[in-house]
Amino acid sequence: MVKIVFREHDGTEHVVDAKEGASVMLAAVTNGVPGIDADCGGACSCATCHVYVKEEWLDKLDAITPMEEAMLSLSSDRKDNSRLSCQIQVNANLDGLEVETPEFQY
Amino acid sequence: MTDSTTPQSKTRVKSASDQSKWSMVGKDPYQMPLEQIDLSHPGIWQANEYLPFLERLRKEDPVHYCADSAVGPYWSVLKYKDIMQVDTSPHIYSSEPTIGIVDQFSEFTLPMFIAMDPPKHDVQRRVVQPVVAPANLKILEALIRERVSRILDGLPVGEEFDWVESVSIELTTQMLATLFDFPFEDRYKLTYWSDVATAIPGAGVVDSYEERWQAMQECLQYFTRLWNERVNREGGNDLLSMLAQGEETRNMPPMEFLGNVLLLIVGGNDTTRNSISGGVLALNEYPEQYAKLRSDRSVIPNMVSEIIRWQTPLAYMRRTALVDTELGGKQIKAGDKVVMWYISGNRDEEVIEDANKFIIDRDKARQHLSFGFGIHRCMGNRLAEMQLRILWEEIMARFHFVEVVGEPQRVYSSFVKGFTSLPVKLHRH
């Protein structure tokens, strides 16, 4: 199991044990972490699992695909550390990963 | 082949749908050759007979070619996963030149970002996105609630009236006026222009293409005047100010401006309007769900998603293949029209459990296709959801039962899936 820390917009923290191979989005949804809607169910096609990744973890993630970039670029709340959590696969290198959920998903 | 001026219109059929040779009204979907099934004709949509046709195609021919129709040959995509694939592959399935099933006369073409591919689509969409983004909606919530309350408080109790006219249209019209900061006393013009933009000449709204074009010109002139007032003004949270002041949009050619204005009017009008009506009808058809709602109002946000799935207020979106490709084992050629029937994907039992039941506390209710997916996903989805949520909160605060007391009348269109009237009677708690 891999530890992932979700921080809500208001600061509320949720620490979950995530399964390797699953996505960070799924780790949130299956553990009842609020703030992630995942309307498309993990197909990288709605941008409602948007998270801000704590800077020191960014380099450990796979590169953003053109599809993810296309979806992220349409959000007004996009920042440099924005990712879609359905596109982050949980692995041992991400133990302790910290992400923040935005105030709104859309 | 038919000729048409707006992306939404379907055919030149003038009178009752069953008089057209293309109509499938009254036919048994299982007693006709597969290749003759033509979902594009508005007849079965107005007659509310479309579901068994969709069901047969999902089972027997989920990527279906219709070689001959009033709108020419086209592919129909029926299954959730295939629709998802088309919607998320804009490099294969283009939104240009139009997202309606009918190709347009070039002289009447209105450019709008729903019918553009990247990068231009992305640029224009980004400019107007903030006005319907949740941060801005939060500011609007109190005003929306106040307007919803006023509409509901003005309704007659215990006597029959038309829900479509008095609530669905009134509320969405007021909302559009708010979003555009449009002169409130002229707000019915917005509804008129929206109806005209999607109308089939002869079906009730306008009598000819010329009349429609004239109405569009009037719309352009009105909005041009507002634009000119706002272009040099500072700020403004409304859509028009954002377009007029946006770096990427301020030099838009007039027709492109009109196209995008109409896109926002239609996008925010028919869709929410028909989901407002459709929710009332669904709750009447499923009284145990209405009972569930009465016993627990916290289900409203989830119910809103279910209503939007159930109604699917835009039945389809069309794409055009850019290259030869394969979908569901069928060979699609570059240039072919490909129609994603969201309304069918939303009833696909392989993905959505008990898809043919209306269940307000359904698990994963948000995973419906009504907003589309990918880069063209409905920009106003959160606004739509908020309007419906507030409406149902305020309805439940006032009324025990919005009772449907007569047959709903449906729109003559295979694109706009909606109602022209819905007779109801209100009962207090």
Side-chain angles (χ1 to χ4, degrees), chain B residues 355-395:
Chain B
N356 286 301
K357 287 185 189 148
F358 177 71
I359 304 172
I360 62 174
D361 53 352
R362 169 184 290 287
D363 191 31
K364 295 181 188 161
R366 302 194 60 84
Q367 291 180 20
H368 59 73
L369 290 170
S370 303
F371 293 133
F373 280 114
I375 57 168
H376 290 284
R377 182 169 168 80
C378 173
M379 192 180 75
N381 59 355
R382 297 304 183 185
L383 172 64
E385 289 171 350
M386 185 172 88
Q387 281 180 261
L388 286 164
R389 172 176 59 79
I390 293 173
L391 174 69
W392 279 102
E393 285 167 359
E394 296 303 322
I395 288 174

Side-chain angles (χ1 to χ4, degrees), chain B residues 241-282:
Chain B
S241 296
M242 284 185 178
L243 282 174
Q245 295 161 20
E247 204 55 52
E248 304 281 1
T249 46
R250 61 186 313 151
N251 295 317
M252 226 184 246
M255 284 301 110
E256 199 164 307
F257 170 54
L258 178 61
N260 281 313
V261 162
L262 282 174
L263 168 61
L264 296 166
I265 295 177
V266 174
N269 184 31
D270 276 327
T271 51
T272 313
R273 177 204 299 182
N274 290 317
S275 295
I276 290 173
S277 306
V280 169
L281 185 61

Side-chain angles (χ1 to χ4, degrees), chain A residues 5 13 25 33-34 38 49 57 59-66 70 73 86-88 91 93-94 103-104:
Chain A
V5 181
E13 253 184 37
M25 176 279 278
V33 176
C49 66
W57 293 94
D59 291 346
K60 297 196 168 67
L61 306 182
D62 290 340
I64 297 179
T65 62
S73 74
C86 72
Q87 299 303 300
I88 305 175
N91 65 60
N93 291 333
L94 299 183
E103 187 176 6
F104 307 105

Side-chain angles (χ1 to χ4, degrees), chain B residues 107-343:
Chain B
E107 65 264 37
F108 286 133
T109 297
L110 292 174
M112 41 181 86
F113 65 81
I114 196 173
M116 288 175 191
D117 291 332
K120 201 171 177 188
H121 159 269
D122 303 8
V123 168
Q124 295 201 355
R125 175 172 167 140
R126 265 198 295 267
V127 174
V128 284
Q129 170 77 68
V131 81
V132 286
N136 201 34
L137 296 183
K138 214 171 159 182
I139 302 170
L140 288 175
E141 176 156 356
L143 181 60
I144 293 176
R145 193 176 295 279
E146 183 194 311
R147 290 187 166 165
V148 167
S149 299
R150 195 172 308 155
I151 290 170
L152 294 179
D153 287 338
L155 297 172
V157 175
E159 61 182 78
E160 183 179 325
F161 68 93
D162 180 14
W163 183 262
V164 171
E165 187 188 339
S166 301
V167 181
S168 310
I169 292 179
E170 189 56 41
L171 176 57
T172 41
T173 304
Q174 290 194 14
M175 207 46 42
L176 275 176
T178 308
L179 287 175
F180 279 104
D181 194 11
F182 192 86
F184 206 65
E185 64 283 4
D186 277 349
R187 65 186 184 277
Y188 298 105
K189 286 183 192 290
L190 292 170
T191 321
Y192 172 68
W193 291 327
S194 173
D195 289 345
V196 168
T198 56
I200 298 167
V205 182
V206 289
D207 290 328
S208 65
Y209 288 90
E210 291 68 31
E211 187 184 342
R212 178 164 71 192
W213 190 246
Q214 210 171 346
M216 296 294 88
Q217 290 305 311
E218 189 200 323
C219 174
L220 174 62
Q221 281 163 18
Y222 199 110
F223 272 98
T224 303
R225 180 166 64 75
L226 296 181
W227 169 290
N228 289 336
E229 286 167 14
R230 292 174 201 184
V231 67
N232 294 319
R233 201 171 74 182
E234 287 285 301
N237 271 339
D238 64 284
L239 278 169
L240 209 48
S241 296
M242 284 185 178
L243 282 174
Q245 295 161 20
E247 204 55 52
E248 304 281 1
T249 46
R250 61 186 313 151
N251 295 317
M252 226 184 246
M255 284 301 110
E256 199 164 307
F257 170 54
L258 178 61
N260 281 313
V261 162
L262 282 174
L263 168 61
L264 296 166
I265 295 177
V266 174
N269 184 31
D270 276 327
T271 51
T272 313
R273 177 204 299 182
N274 290 317
S275 295
I276 290 173
S277 306
V280 169
L281 185 61
L283 284 167
N284 273 262
E285 287 171 345
Y286 291 81
E288 81 286 355
Q289 299 298 315
Y290 211 147
K292 207 185 277 178
L293 169 64
R294 287 188 194 104
S295 66
D296 179 13
R297 294 182 198 174
S298 72
V299 75
I300 289 176
N302 204 75
M303 177 181 82
V304 163
S305 291
E306 177 68 347
I307 287 174
I308 294 167
R309 177 187 77 93
W310 192 250
Q311 183 58 29
T312 318
L314 295 180
Y316 74 81
M317 285 284 165
R318 168 221 166 154
R319 300 291 184 255
T320 305
L322 292 170
V323 291
D324 292 356
T325 187
E326 193 191 303
L327 183 70
K330 301 287 180 82
Q331 299 302 318
I332 293 172
K333 296 259 172 278
D336 284 358
K337 290 183 192 181
V338 179
V339 178
M340 301 174 284
W341 293 96
Y342 293 144
I343 177 80

Side-chain angles (χ1 to χ4, degrees), chain B residues 30-67:
Chain B
Y30 288 91
Q31 296 299 321
M32 58 194 291
L34 260 184
E35 61 271 18
Q36 282 180 20
I37 295 185
D38 169 19
L39 299 174
S40 72
H41 190 274
I44 50 167
W45 299 91
Q46 184 181 42
N48 197 28
E49 293 177 9
Y50 55 91
L51 281 173
F53 289 95
L54 302 180
E55 191 183 80
R56 181 175 181 205
L57 288 181
R58 270 199 310 276
K59 271 190 224 146
E60 298 178 27
D61 196 24
V63 178
H64 171 71
Y65 190 65
C66 179

